[in-house]
Amino acid sequence: MGTPPLSPWAVLLLSPLLVGLWAPCVLSRPPNFIIILADDVGWGDLGANWAETKETPHLDQLAAEGTRFVDFHSAASTCSPSRASLLTGRLGLRNGVTHNFGIASLGGLPLNETTLAEVLRDAGYSTGAIGKWHLGHHGRHHPTSRGFDFYFGIPYSHDMGCTDSPGYNVPPCPPCPRRGTAARVARKDCYTEVALPLFENVTIVQQPVELHSLARRYAEEAARFIQRASDSGRPFFLYLALAHMHVPLTPPLPPAPGTDTYGASLGEMDALVGRVKELADSLGRGSTLLWFTGDNGPWAQKCELAGRLGPFMGAWQRQRGGSSAKQTTWEGGHRVPALVYWPGHVPAGRTSHALLSVLDIFPTLVALAGAALPPSRRFDGLDVSPVLLGRADVGHKVLLHPNSGAGGKVGAVEALRLAQYKAFYTTGGAMACDGSTGPEERHHPPLIFNLDRDIQEQQPLDVASREYQAVLPAISRAYTRALQDIAADNVSVADYSQDPAAIPCCNVQHVGCRCHGAPGDPHVEERTPWLCL
């Protein structure tokens, strides 16, 4: 097995020590892989990260029995680009996914991009995806056409369709219509006319989804997939993309006394992760690598329904108005919790300060599986198996942060991390809880923060200071090399065109596309699940 290739600019910036440590890991038997991706989760939503959080005993136990990564980052600060990068190991400027897909999207993750599931399936793995997809649902963009043998979940975010029990959101959203009478008044930020679909493979099995039972159903489907894979004798890859902690929140009913809506939902997510860990351990401790992380930071404009940033406040931005979390390139937008559990391989009770990214999941799992990276393209992720296994604690020297819906051009690199320094070329443009967005500001020369001294990103370095003048040339070189490397790569372009015919609908004759309603609902007939091609 060869060491996966790095981008030329990444090689130039890596220290000799890091290059020397980048040796392949040879295993006698390919491990199983479970990737759990939480949605809109805050770095401070884990008690292991933030002492004020009390609702995550299972995740905290996972941290105690595995390794906790405290400088771990999503590849973008919103849904579709982050997920595309996880499954390709490439930034949106390479894989073509720079912003979110909609319910009527014809396209998705470009078909010439190779997914992690495709690589692992070719290496002999059973592959399953459960939960949110959001990388295209029409035609060949569906998960079962992108390397997954099995899919069960919602094709996009679960606020992108109405339900009969809408849960908690800001602003509140109405339930799905039951009668096709007078046109309803649309509410801002709410999908009011098309019910949210639940798929099993390419079949809609419920529309609208019953959100309050979704966590239980995901756990049940994960158990079935793992059992089927175990019975087959093949290693498996399970990609479990949770609805938690994205709005609408649907905590267990009734809520525990003294628990707020967010805390109750966080506790439900924690219990789900605990159940999946039990399933992994039941196969034999050490046979399965479990990696928990998030797609981006909290959605600040959702106020009390948004997650906890921990210390990553983005204070400079907040002083000027606007969010410093989801959609932004501030730490709160992309620094996410990350835990890796693999008994006998990944050290227990360890905290790593290596600079790592969701981008690293692809090349790392490919290497541990004994497979090869797809040819004719460059990767932003690294094989960080030496870091996982405790043999090193050095990751990226440079990490790029693209705009994900805030100020600047969508998908463009608007911030860059070089060791402990972080440079911003554009700030502002994302909505905070108070409705402010903050002015979009371009910075030439860039704002530069020293995160070792200023984790809250409160005070940028004085441009006249020695420190600023010393680090600016290295940042400028890294930025230029990165963009040159991307320009020279095999770059994909996603199709963002839309057509109402692409909206998943089990029965266009029924109001709201209903096919399965609540028991006893006189307005809804039970229908044979509808095949969605």
Side-chain angles (χ1 to χ4, degrees):
M1 179 181 68
T3 305
L6 303 177
S7 298
W9 68 276
V11 173
L12 287 170
L13 290 166
L14 292 174
S15 68
L17 174 62
L18 177 59
V19 175
L21 287 170
W22 236 248
C25 172
V26 179
L27 300 169
S28 57
R29 184 183 182 280
N32 305 312
F33 300 124
I34 300 176
I35 302 299
I36 303 179
L37 188 71
D39 200 340
D40 289 3
V41 68
W43 189 92
D45 280 337
L46 270 62
N49 284 347
W50 197 239
E52 297 176 15
T53 297
K54 307 297 183 185
E55 299 93 345
T56 58
H58 296 98
L59 283 161
D60 298 344
Q61 185 64 28
L62 196 68
E65 297 180 15
T67 294
R68 181 171 65 106
F69 298 91
V70 295
D71 201 356
F72 191 94
H73 300 261
S74 60
S77 298
T78 196
C79 306
S80 296
S82 179
R83 293 157 198 272
S85 290
L86 187 157
L87 289 175
T88 64
R90 288 154 55 86
L91 286 167
L93 286 176
R94 298 185 198 270
N95 65 40
V97 181
T98 56
H99 53 289
N100 288 340
F101 295 103
I103 66 171
S105 288
L106 290 170
L109 176 66
L111 299 177
N112 57 307
E113 289 290 322
T114 303
T115 70
L116 176 59
E118 289 169 322
V119 175
L120 293 179
R121 186 169 67 178
D122 288 347
Y125 277 70
S126 295
T127 57
I130 295 173
K132 174 177 172 178
W133 177 240
H134 215 170
L135 291 174
H137 53 271
H138 185 68
R140 294 173 59 200
H141 294 288
H142 194 274
T144 55
S145 296
R146 303 313 306 266
F148 289 102
D149 301 320
F150 172 76
Y151 175 64
F152 183 89
I154 299 171
Y156 28 71
S157 297
H158 66 288
D159 65 339
M160 294 171 65
C162 62
T163 62
D164 290 336
S165 300
Y168 296 88
N169 201 346
V170 176
C173 291
C176 283
R178 292 183 179 274
R179 298 172 180 85
T181 55
R184 300 176 349 142
V185 177
R187 308 242 187 129
K188 183 181 179 183
D189 297 334
C190 293
Y191 288 74
T192 59
E193 300 300 334
V194 179
L196 191 68
L198 181 67
F199 278 78
E200 181 171 342
N201 296 320
V202 296
T203 301
I204 296 176
V205 295
Q206 189 180 49
Q207 193 171 11
V209 176
E210 169 46 54
L211 290 177
H212 285 279
S213 63
L214 194 60
R216 172 183 57 79
R217 297 186 73 172
Y218 282 176
E220 292 171 352
E221 292 300 332
R224 291 190 186 100
F225 171 78
I226 290 171
Q227 186 60 56
R228 288 194 301 268
S230 179
D231 291 345
S232 74
R234 298 164 61 193
F236 68 81
F237 166 50
L238 173 60
Y239 171 50
L240 177 56
L242 305 179
H244 304 81
M245 299 297 299
H246 199 294
V247 293
L249 301 180
T250 54
L253 298 174
T259 304
D260 64 10
T261 299
Y262 192 86
S265 298
L266 187 60
E268 183 182 52
M269 180 187 78
D270 179 73
L272 176 55
V273 173
R275 174 58 181 145
V276 174
K277 178 180 178 291
E278 288 179 1
L279 293 170
D281 287 341
S282 71
L283 302 175
R285 287 173 62 87
S287 64
T288 303
L289 183 156
L290 192 158
W291 198 325
F292 172 89
T293 189
D295 70 335
N296 48 250
W299 199 355
Q301 72 185 72
K302 298 301 179 178
C303 302
E304 72 276 7
L305 303 181
R308 302 154 187 171
L309 293 170
F312 306 108
M313 305 301 292
W316 187 93
Q317 183 64 63
R318 293 179 70 165
Q319 291 165 2
R320 290 157 176 79
S323 169
S324 59
K326 178 178 177 176
Q327 298 181 310
T328 79
T329 54
W330 298 97
E331 290 295 290
H334 53 75
R335 191 182 293 225
V336 290
L339 309 172
V340 178
Y341 169 76
W342 191 15
H345 302 276
V346 169
R350 173 174 171 249
T351 297
S352 169
H353 294 270
L355 178 58
L356 303 184
S357 168
V358 162
L359 291 159
D360 304 327
I361 292 175
F362 185 110
T364 300
L365 298 197
V366 169
L368 292 174
L373 289 177
S376 305
R377 69 203 66 193
R378 298 172 184 174
F379 293 85
D380 299 289
L382 304 172
D383 169 13
V384 296
S385 53
V387 182
L388 265 59
L389 300 175
R391 300 174 185 169
D393 202 34
V394 181
H396 294 260
K397 187 176 178 66
V398 173
L399 202 58
L400 308 179
H401 299 300
N403 170 35
S404 300
K409 181 181 177 182
V410 66
V413 176
E414 300 292 1
L416 177 146
R417 174 84 176 269
L418 174 66
Q420 75 269 33
Y421 294 101
K422 186 172 176 188
F424 288 85
Y425 296 91
T426 305
T427 55
M431 185 178 292
C433 173
D434 62 6
S436 66
T437 57
E440 180 177 321
E441 296 183 55
R442 306 283 178 150
H443 303 284
H444 298 288
L447 297 179
I448 300 178
F449 295 82
N450 184 330
L451 297 183
D452 281 352
R453 295 197 306 266
D454 184 13
I455 201 65
Q456 293 191 355
E457 297 172 302
Q458 182 170 11
Q459 184 62 49
L461 301 179
D462 184 343
V463 295
S465 68
R466 267 190 190 175
E467 186 177 13
Y468 187 98
Q469 294 300 321
V471 73
L472 179 61
I475 286 174
S476 298
R477 285 194 300 270
Y479 185 75
T480 299
R481 287 173 178 171
L483 296 185
Q484 289 174 342
D485 183 75
I486 292 170
D489 193 11
N490 182 5
V491 173
S492 300
V493 177
D495 175 10
Y496 278 96
S497 62
Q498 300 201 18
D499 186 333
I503 298 174
C505 183
C506 61
N507 193 329
V508 296
Q509 302 303 317
H510 279 215
V511 61
C513 290
R514 286 182 177 274
C515 60
H516 284 60
D521 183 349
H523 305 292
V524 182
E525 301 176 14
E526 286 293 318
R527 295 282 181 176
T528 302
W530 187 76
L531 189 65
C532 178
L533 297 176

